[in-house]
């Protein structure tokens, strides 16, 4: 029995084939969009506003935190998805456990607002597919706010849709996973804790004083039933929180 390629391999193959068709003149090249994060999201908002049937996406909110995307920019993505839902479009998001955990306060995974979601171990990249016609692919593979490509090659878009469907079928319902996640005020410190950043560096990033940050780390260790920060990171990974 032939082994099905991993999602990352499928995406990489589709993009390589797309570039080959561009070189042969068989399809138009992707359009690269760069600029300020605000102007990039102006463009994304206009593109998503064109969605009439559905938006399919891979979304991992932990990527936003890892890339230090500012809060106002983070909020623009969920707003475009809720607007699509308001127009009657379907929104189906594939995320990871870490992404769902990081999303407790932001609400970028909009399944509580009428969208649909599935949770997998890891998403291969960030992508947003509009009406199975246009795909937005970030230049750094994780966040659209740092620049992206607009891809309309039907073969590439079709391959991305197929990968999305494959992971959707393999994913879990977020409702059940939600009940096993830590409270939001502890969830937000997990990425900082895992990075190993000193308290005086991690705390300001989260808008906390070093004393409050240290107190929440201690509370997290108690929730996890461990005695050290290293053990906390290992246990958080075991639980799928990181």
């Amino acid at each position: 029995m032939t082994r099905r390629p991993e999602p990352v391999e499928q995406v990489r193959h589709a993009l390589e084939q797309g570039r080959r068709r561009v070189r042969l003149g068989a399809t138009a090249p992707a359009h690269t969009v760069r600029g300020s994060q605000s102007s990039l999201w102006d463009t994304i908002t206009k593109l998503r506003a064109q969605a009439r049937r559905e938006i399919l996406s891979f979304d991992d909110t932990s990527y936003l935190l890892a890339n230090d995307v500012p809060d106002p920019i983070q909020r623009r993505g969920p707003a475009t998805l809720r607007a699509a839902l308001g127009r009657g479009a379907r929104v189906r998001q594939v995320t990871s456990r870490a992404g769902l955990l990081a999303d407790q306060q932001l609400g970028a995974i909009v399944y509580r607002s009428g969208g649909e979601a599935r949770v997998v171990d890891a998403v291969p990249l960030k992508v947003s597919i509009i009406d199975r016609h246009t795909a937005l692919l970030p230049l750094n593979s994780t966040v659209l706010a740092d620049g992206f490509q607009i891809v309309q090659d039907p073969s590439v878009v079709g391959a991305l849709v197929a990968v999305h469907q494959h992971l959707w079928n393999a994913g879990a319902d977020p409702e059940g996973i939600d009940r096993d996640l830590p409270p939001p005020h502890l969830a937000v410190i997990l990425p900082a804790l895992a990075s190993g950043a000193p308290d005086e560096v991690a705390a300001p990033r989260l808008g906390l004083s070093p004393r409050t940050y240290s107190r929440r780390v201690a509370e997290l260790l108690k929730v996890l039933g461990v005695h050290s920060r290293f053990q906390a990171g290992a246990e958080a990974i075991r639980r799928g929180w990181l």
Side-chain angles (χ1 to χ4, degrees), residues 78-92:
T80 63
L81 298 178
R82 287 192 290 270
L85 289 168
R87 296 192 304 272
R90 190 179 190 183
V91 175
R92 305 177 83 199

Side-chain angles (χ1 to χ4, degrees), residues 13-31 129 132-137 149-161:
H13 178 72
L15 294 176
E16 288 175 353
Q17 291 300 308
R19 287 189 286 270
R20 180 174 179 272
R21 284 191 293 276
V22 169
R23 291 194 298 270
L24 293 174
T27 189
H31 176 57
I129 306 168
R132 307 197 179 206
H133 175 269
T134 301
L136 309 183
L137 292 168
Q149 289 187 319
I150 302 173
V151 179
Q152 294 182 314
D153 180 337
S155 296
V156 175
V157 175
L160 291 170
V161 170

Side-chain angles (χ1 to χ4, degrees), residues 53-130:
R53 299 187 305 277
E54 68 178 1
I55 295 176
L56 306 176
S57 68
F58 296 127
D59 285 310
D60 191 323
T61 307
S62 65
Y63 291 158
L64 301 177
L65 303 180
N67 285 271
D68 292 324
V69 176
D71 288 348
I73 299 298
Q74 289 188 35
R75 289 193 288 270
R76 294 194 66 175
T80 63
L81 298 178
R82 287 192 290 270
L85 289 168
R87 296 192 304 272
R90 190 179 190 183
V91 175
R92 305 177 83 199
Q93 295 170 279
V94 173
T95 190
S96 67
R97 282 179 172 267
L100 193 66
L101 175 63
D103 192 60
Q104 289 187 85
Q105 291 184 317
L106 179 61
I109 311 302
V110 297
Y111 68 97
R112 294 189 187 89
S113 303
E116 303 166 66
R118 291 293 182 271
V119 182
V120 296
D121 291 337
V123 297
L125 77 168
K126 166 70 181 176
V127 67
S128 185
I129 306 168
I130 300 165

Side-chain angles (χ1 to χ4, degrees), residues 184-204:
H185 73 288
L186 298 182
V188 295
I189 71 171
L190 274 167
L193 184 65
S195 73
D199 290 10
E200 60 271 18
V201 173

